[in-house]
Amino acid sequence: MLEKIEELDRQLFLFLNGLHTEWLDVLMYWITYKYTWFPVYALLIAIVVIKYKWKGALIMVSVVAAVGLADQLTSGFMKPYFGRLRPCHEPDISSIINIVAGCGGRFGFASSHASTTFALATALWLLLKDWSRWFVWGFLWATIVAYSRVYVGVHYPADITVGAVGGMLCGWLVVQLHLWLTNRLAGTPISSKYLEQNAS
């Protein structure tokens, strides 16, 4: 059964990875390059801290913690534990796939790009959705970033699917801990839901 699932995963990867063009190679390279998004992260942190002051800083600390937990789950535990080769390291298919930005580490299950972006999207949505409904678009962004890992040849679809689920779980867990701790320490859970209510 597991072998059949892995074979279906491989066939889906080869199909998706084969849908490439020159201009999309360039676009996906920049989408998948993690440092591309650092200015966006810095701007987001600045905006939230300016709006909510020290409470905004606590929110962003929890968001960063969710991302860190998701990264440890995938890169620190799952990749070395499961030891599943990235497609670009698979001898049977590495010569026929489209590799855009190098191959990266040896193991790929599960995708840390998928886990961290979905953890970020989940934590931001849960903590700040009452300030702005636009944060729901973070899930579309995370999906595009996760898909780019298949496009550039470094992850199977199962890698990004499991990574995304793990990231959302990490985001949810850290937010629950954040709300519980801030409620215990400040008397009110710190999120845009309560901050916006108090401002009105």
Side-chain angles (χ1 to χ4, degrees):
M1 182 65 177
L2 183 58
E3 289 180 359
K4 186 174 181 180
I5 293 173
E6 287 185 344
E7 181 58 27
L8 288 172
D9 191 32
R10 178 181 294 194
Q11 293 304 317
L12 180 57
F13 164 79
L14 290 172
F15 171 75
L16 294 174
N17 179 256
L19 301 175
H20 65 90
T21 62
E22 274 190 38
W23 69 268
L24 203 52
D25 283 359
V26 175
L27 179 61
M28 286 296 177
Y29 170 82
W30 288 109
I31 287 175
T32 207
Y33 185 54
K34 61 182 180 180
Y35 295 115
T36 297
W37 304 103
F38 275 33
V40 178
Y41 302 150
L43 179 62
L44 180 61
I45 291 171
I47 291 172
V48 173
V49 172
I50 288 171
K51 179 173 177 61
Y52 292 123
K53 308 298 189 288
W54 68 269
K55 293 179 179 179
L58 284 180
I59 287 173
M60 296 314 299
V61 166
S62 292
V63 171
V64 172
V67 172
L69 179 61
D71 182 61
Q72 283 303 304
L73 173 66
T74 50
S75 295
F77 170 68
M78 296 183 75
K79 287 178 182 177
Y81 180 79
F82 291 103
R84 188 189 190 192
L85 293 176
R86 293 179 185 266
C88 51
H89 283 305
E90 281 281 4
D92 294 344
I93 62 173
S94 60
S95 62
I96 62 171
I97 65 179
N98 181 45
I99 302 174
V100 174
C103 197
R106 188 169 177 78
F107 303 129
F109 184 84
S111 168
S112 56
H113 271 70
S115 67
T116 54
T117 52
F118 272 93
L120 178 62
T122 301
L124 287 174
W125 166 247
L126 292 175
L127 289 171
L128 295 170
K129 63 182 178 181
D130 289 278
W131 167 36
S132 175
R133 295 288 176 174
W134 283 96
F135 283 108
V136 73
W137 291 101
F139 291 101
L140 176 60
W141 164 76
T143 300
I144 293 171
V145 172
Y147 169 74
S148 75
R149 305 304 286 165
V150 175
Y151 184 95
V152 301
V154 298
H155 280 295
Y156 291 104
D159 298 345
I160 65 170
T161 301
V162 174
V165 173
M168 287 188 286
L169 179 60
C170 289
W172 182 84
L173 286 173
V174 170
V175 167
Q176 301 315 304
L177 179 61
H178 165 90
L179 295 175
W180 180 78
L181 281 175
T182 55
N183 184 46
R184 290 291 299 270
L185 296 174
T188 304
I190 294 177
S191 74
S192 62
K193 176 180 179 181
Y194 303 98
L195 296 173
E196 293 300 310
Q197 286 175 354
N198 294 335
S200 59

